[in-house]
Amino acid sequence: MKQVFIVGASRGIGFEFVRQYRAAGDQVTATARSDEGLAHIVALGARALRLDVARAADASSLAESISGAAFDVVIFNAGVYGARTRGLEAPTDEEFDAVMHTNVLGPMRVLPQLVLALAPGAKLAVISSRMGSMGLRTSPDGWLYRASKAALNSVLKDTSLALAGKAVCVALHPGWVRTDMGGAGADIDVATSVADMRRTLARLTAADNGAFLNHDGAALVW
Ligand SMILES: NC(=O)c1ccc[n+]([C@@H]2O[C@H](COP(=O)([O-])OP(=O)(O)OC[C@H]3O[C@@H](n4cnc5c(N)ncnc54)[C@H](OP(=O)(O)O)[C@@H]3O)[C@@H](O)[C@H]2O)c1
C-alpha cells in the first residue's frame, strides 16, 4: 500500500487520481479549496485537506498538516487555463495573476512544504502540458497558459535538482483530456489518461529524474 498525496483533486484529472489510487488500495491524502471538493474526496475514502494553492496562508500551513507522512507518490495537479486567446491578446493584471499564481507560484509555495513528507525514492509529478513545450509549439493559442506551463516546467527542473537522490521528479503531459478544462471534444477520457500516468509513475527510475513525459511515458522535448 502506497501513501499518495494529490494537490487539486475536487474534479477532473486530480479527482480521478484519487479514485484510481483508492481503488488500488492505496492510502490517499488529497486537497481541494471548496466544501464540495473536500466532500468528493472524503466520499472516496481519502483524507481531505483544504488548500487554495493561490493563497500564501494555505500553503504555509501545509507542512504542519502533513507532518509525519511519508508519501511514495506526490502529484501537483491544480491548474487553470485562463482566457481562451487566439493570438497576441494582452492579459489584464488580474488574468495574468490568476493563471500565474495558480500554475507557477502555487507549486513554488507548495512543493517546498512537501520535502520532509517524502518517502525515500518518492515519485513527484507536476501535471504540466505539452502546450508549455517550446520545441513542440505550432500555435500561439492560450499564450498565457503556455507561458505558465513553461514556467512550471522550469520549477519542476529545479525541484528535480534539489531533490536528486531523494525523489524522482517529472513533469507529465496528461494528453488532451475530456474534463471541464479539456472540453467534450478532447482526445481521451480521464480514466485512460490517469491510468497511463499511474503506470508511467510506477515505472520511473532514478534515471528519469528531471524528465518531461507524455502520459504514456514517452519523452517530450522542453
Ligand atoms: N484537460 C486537459 O486536456 C489538460 C491538458 C494538459 C494539461 N492539463 C492540466 O491538468 C491539470 C488538471 O486539469 P483538468 O483537466 O482536470 O482541469 P479541471 O477539470 O478544470 O480541474 C482543475 C482542478 O484544479 C483545481 N484548482 C484550480 N485552481 C486551484 C487553486 N487555486 N487551488 C487549488 N486547486 C485549484 C480545481 O479545483 P476547483 O474545483 O476548486 O476549481 C480542479 O480540481 C491542470 O494542471 C491542467 O493544466 C489538462
Side-chain angles (χ1 to χ4, degrees):
M1 184 180 69
K2 294 187 290 295
Q3 281 194 43
V4 178
F5 185 63
I6 298 157
V7 177
S10 62
R11 56 196 166 94
I13 292 168
F15 180 77
E16 181 65 12
F17 269 120
V18 179
R19 196 189 67 75
Q20 291 195 19
Y21 277 118
R22 284 295 299 139
D26 295 316
Q27 191 182 319
V28 179
T29 304
T31 78
R33 56 181 172 167
S34 65
D35 290 342
E36 192 188 6
L38 293 165
H40 288 159
I41 292 166
V42 169
L44 292 176
R47 179 181 179 217
L49 297 177
R50 189 181 297 277
L51 174 67
D52 181 336
V53 303
R55 279 175 44 97
D58 282 18
S60 64
S61 59
L62 181 60
E64 199 181 326
S65 309
I66 56 172
S67 83
F71 296 118
D72 304 289
V73 176
V74 166
I75 298 165
F76 188 99
N77 170 77
V80 291
Y81 190 93
R84 303 258 163 193
T85 55
R86 290 280 169 218
L88 307 186
E89 296 158 52
T92 63
D93 287 0
E94 290 74 21
E95 287 168 343
F96 184 87
D97 287 351
V99 174
M100 289 295 187
H101 285 193
T102 304
N103 296 3
V104 188
L105 184 55
M108 292 179 86
R109 283 179 174 147
V110 167
L111 295 177
Q113 297 276 320
L114 301 174
V115 171
L116 294 178
L118 296 174
K123 319 279 179 68
L124 183 155
V126 297
I127 305 303
S128 179
S129 170
R130 59 178 285 154
M131 286 183 73
S133 166
M134 304 288 182
L136 298 171
R137 199 166 301 186
T138 56
S139 156
D141 289 0
W143 70 330
L144 175 55
Y145 178 75
R146 289 178 187 278
S148 76
K149 291 299 189 181
L152 174 63
N153 285 351
S154 173
V155 167
L156 182 279
K157 199 72 187 181
D158 290 336
T159 303
S160 75
L161 294 170
L163 298 183
K166 294 182 184 156
V168 182
C169 306
V170 294
L172 292 178
H173 169 59
W176 184 22
V177 189
R178 290 190 288 277
T179 62
D180 292 340
M181 185 186 293
D187 286 338
I188 57 173
D189 61 62
V190 70
T192 303
S193 167
V194 168
D196 280 0
M197 290 192 283
R198 289 177 58 239
R199 240 184 327 268
T200 295
L201 286 167
R203 287 192 197 124
L204 292 178
T205 69
D208 297 308
N209 192 35
F212 183 20
L213 303 174
N214 198 32
H215 54 97
D216 61 6
L220 296 173
V221 298
W222 294 106

